Amino acid sequence: MIDNLLLGFSTIATFPALFAIVAGVLIGIICGVLPGLSASTAVALMVPFTFGMDPVVSIVLLVSVYLAGEYGGSITAIAIGVPGTPAAAATMLDGYELTKQGKPGLALTTSVVASSIGGMIGAIILFCFSEPLANVALSFGAPEYFALAVFGLAIISSLASDNLKKGFIVMFIGLFLKTIGLDPFSGEERFTFGVPKLMDGLGFIPALIGLFAMASVFTDIDKATAKSRTIALSFAMPKIRQLLSMWKVYLHSSILGSIIGVLPGAGATIASFICYNEVKRFSKKKDQFGKGCLEGVAAPESGNNAVVGGSLVPLLTLGIPGSGTAAVLIGALMLHDIQPGPLLFQTNGNIVYGIFAGLFVACLAQLFFGLIGVPVWIKVISAPKALLLPVIASISVVGSYSYNNSIVDVWVMLGFGLLGYLLKKFNYPVSPIILALVLGGILEENFRRSLMISEGDFSIFVTHPISAVLLLFAVLSLLSPILFNRLAKVKS
């Protein structure tokens, strides 16, 4: 095993490979910062530039873009409340709260440290457990994916534990909005009102930008806070002791994120919310989550960067993409006449182990550039809100339009912005809508597919062991806050 790792580092120990890693990290961070550009989009945009490159150089470049793109989305999520990528929505829950408290340096530093550690742990898991984890992914069928979606939606028990009723109302609104478009089985139009662009459903990125960024603009205008800035931003960064004290959060979220990354179709967004939920569930600072808790920043960032290593497991060992970005990477490998799968370790071992080593180096580069960039981002967000609000609104419009080059997406963004504003005004949680939009399609498709397999027998969901366990966890997740609240009342 050590020999293979040394082979990987010797493979990338060239100027072109190291330069590609550094360039990939910088490009990934920039693309992650821009709302509307996801990590998969960034990787896809870079594929044409790899033509004629050495296969090792091209793949480590793309993997570096992938890794840094997942981190980059947290910067604007923390700085101005605009998630640069869907996975950064969970980071924003506590990260932006810290910025509003005048402590952006704490959140930005924690984010880059957690992301880099998560990426490294994901790379270790990729290196050590590729084949066993790939076999776990193969055991997931329609019932298991349905149960995973139910478990994900049960996260609202934590995200909206103060008022479960409101959380469920918002979640069902999100599930309804997810039905807009074509029926995945019959192909019939649902709630499209004759608008061709809505046949593919509501764009997730425009919805995300609207719910968080545009809603914040509407809220600030309503409160007339654009005239002055009352909070002085601190350049203070967390102490090393603070960062080290969260080692359990890094480890727990990174392992969980890696496992979720192995599952085809799950991805960084689901991993971020699940990691956030699970860390909150067992944290001694449970009451601080959503109010500016550093653990609430570290958990999703560790998880979504660990997904990168996890998603490469089925790609390299089985030739199955674990995410949309991994699917782009498969295409890039094939462009260089490299066929991913079990034989890849024998025929192109230097490339495989070069990817492992490249991930480690990319994590270090990400940590370096991320820490350097913290003061820069603080200076940017130090601008008065009278200047920031038009900038946020402009970024929201441009980001929504660039998602699909459609004005319909801009209207979708504005509609979700108004919805987010109303939810905040009447103290309804916004997060359950995001989860419903992420998991709604997985929930519906695998529920119907499972019933087709079982010919209408609902017992299929409990006769499959993995599905049954996940559903049990979902029930426990929903009941735990109720039980804890009642115990707290009894003690008082």
Side-chain angles (χ1 to χ4, degrees), residues 4 17 47 59 63 77 104 118 180 219 238 241 338 408 415 427:
N4 292 332
V47 169
I59 299 305
V63 169
I180 295 174
T219 301
R241 185 173 59 186
I338 300 170
V408 173
N427 297 317

Side-chain angles (χ1 to χ4, degrees), residues 242-443:
Q242 277 182 288
L243 295 172
L244 293 177
S245 67
M246 293 186 286
W247 67 270
K248 290 182 180 179
V249 176
Y250 305 140
L251 184 62
H252 177 275
S253 298
S254 298
I255 293 174
L256 188 55
S258 298
I259 294 172
I260 294 171
V262 173
L263 306 176
T269 306
I270 295 175
S272 294
F273 278 101
I274 290 180
C275 290
Y276 182 92
N277 173 73
E278 293 308 305
V279 167
K280 178 182 177 182
R281 186 195 308 277
F282 299 106
S283 175
K284 295 179 181 178
K285 305 176 182 178
K286 194 174 300 183
D287 295 337
Q288 298 179 23
F289 276 69
K291 301 175 184 178
C293 180
L294 286 182
E295 290 183 2
V297 175
E301 284 304 300
S302 297
N304 64 38
N305 261 245
V307 164
V308 175
S311 67
L312 295 178
V313 171
L315 184 155
L316 297 174
T317 59
L318 303 170
I320 300 173
S323 66
T325 314
V328 177
L329 289 173
I330 282 183
L333 284 168
M334 291 181 174
L335 283 175
H336 293 279
D337 295 323
I338 300 170
Q339 182 62 48
L343 295 178
L344 181 62
F345 287 79
Q346 300 175 10
T347 57
N348 296 100
N350 62 321
I351 294 178
V352 175
Y353 298 115
I355 293 174
F356 297 159
L359 271 176
F360 278 106
V361 178
C363 288
L364 294 174
Q366 175 181 275
L367 180 64
F368 175 76
F369 290 113
L371 291 175
I372 287 179
V374 168
V376 177
W377 292 111
I378 295 176
K379 287 183 179 179
V380 170
I381 59 180
S382 297
K385 273 201 170 182
L387 296 177
L388 275 181
L389 290 183
V391 172
I392 294 172
S394 300
I395 291 174
S396 299
V397 172
V398 173
S400 300
Y401 182 81
S402 63
Y403 172 71
N404 204 24
N405 293 328
S406 170
I407 194 66
V408 173
D409 287 322
V410 177
W411 288 111
V412 169
M413 181 272 295
L414 292 173
F416 272 95
L418 180 60
L419 175 61
Y421 161 72
L422 293 174
L423 290 174
K424 290 180 180 179
K425 189 175 182 68
F426 295 100
N427 297 317
Y428 277 77
V430 177
S431 303
I433 282 191
I434 299 299
L435 285 175
L437 292 175
V438 171
L439 297 171
I442 298 173
L443 185 81

Side-chain angles (χ1 to χ4, degrees), residues 103-346:
K103 306 172 185 175
L106 296 180
L108 289 166
T109 305
T110 301
S111 171
V112 66
V113 170
S115 295
S116 301
I117 292 175
M120 288 182 182
I121 293 176
I124 292 171
I125 291 174
L126 169 66
F127 179 68
C128 298
F129 304 108
S130 292
E131 294 186 24
L133 284 175
N135 292 330
V136 172
L138 285 178
S139 65
F140 266 63
E144 286 77 16
Y145 277 111
F146 167 77
L148 179 65
V150 171
F151 176 62
L153 289 173
I155 289 174
I156 64 167
S157 65
S158 294
L159 297 182
S161 57
D162 294 336
N163 195 321
L164 281 176
K165 187 183 295 184
K166 287 185 176 182
F168 274 106
I169 290 172
V170 174
M171 182 193 74
F172 283 115
I173 291 174
L175 289 175
F176 168 73
L177 293 173
K178 186 62 181 177
T179 63
I180 295 174
L182 296 180
D183 185 288
F185 289 86
S186 67
E188 295 182 5
E189 293 185 30
R190 302 187 300 194
F191 309 110
T192 60
F193 304 103
V195 181
K197 287 287 185 180
L198 291 180
M199 289 184 182
D200 292 330
L202 299 175
F204 181 65
I205 293 294
L208 195 65
I209 293 173
L211 280 171
F212 290 109
M214 210 64 200
S216 295
V217 172
F218 291 153
T219 301
D220 283 338
I221 292 174
D222 183 38
K223 293 180 178 178
T225 57
K227 294 181 181 180
S228 62
R229 188 176 194 94
T230 58
I231 299 174
L233 296 181
S234 169
F235 281 76
M237 299 168 74
K239 296 179 180 178
I240 295 178
R241 185 173 59 186
Q242 277 182 288
L243 295 172
L244 293 177
S245 67
M246 293 186 286
W247 67 270
K248 290 182 180 179
V249 176
Y250 305 140
L251 184 62
H252 177 275
S253 298
S254 298
I255 293 174
L256 188 55
S258 298
I259 294 172
I260 294 171
V262 173
L263 306 176
T269 306
I270 295 175
S272 294
F273 278 101
I274 290 180
C275 290
Y276 182 92
N277 173 73
E278 293 308 305
V279 167
K280 178 182 177 182
R281 186 195 308 277
F282 299 106
S283 175
K284 295 179 181 178
K285 305 176 182 178
K286 194 174 300 183
D287 295 337
Q288 298 179 23
F289 276 69
K291 301 175 184 178
C293 180
L294 286 182
E295 290 183 2
V297 175
E301 284 304 300
S302 297
N304 64 38
N305 261 245
V307 164
V308 175
S311 67
L312 295 178
V313 171
L315 184 155
L316 297 174
T317 59
L318 303 170
I320 300 173
S323 66
T325 314
V328 177
L329 289 173
I330 282 183
L333 284 168
M334 291 181 174
L335 283 175
H336 293 279
D337 295 323
I338 300 170
Q339 182 62 48
L343 295 178
L344 181 62
F345 287 79
Q346 300 175 10

Side-chain angles (χ1 to χ4, degrees), residues 142-143 446-461 463-464:
N446 288 287
F447 176 75
R448 293 168 67 177
R449 188 173 289 117
S450 297
L451 292 181
M452 290 171 63
I453 293 170
S454 66
E455 298 181 349
D457 185 0
F458 285 87
S459 66
I460 188 173
F461 298 111
T463 54
H464 287 224

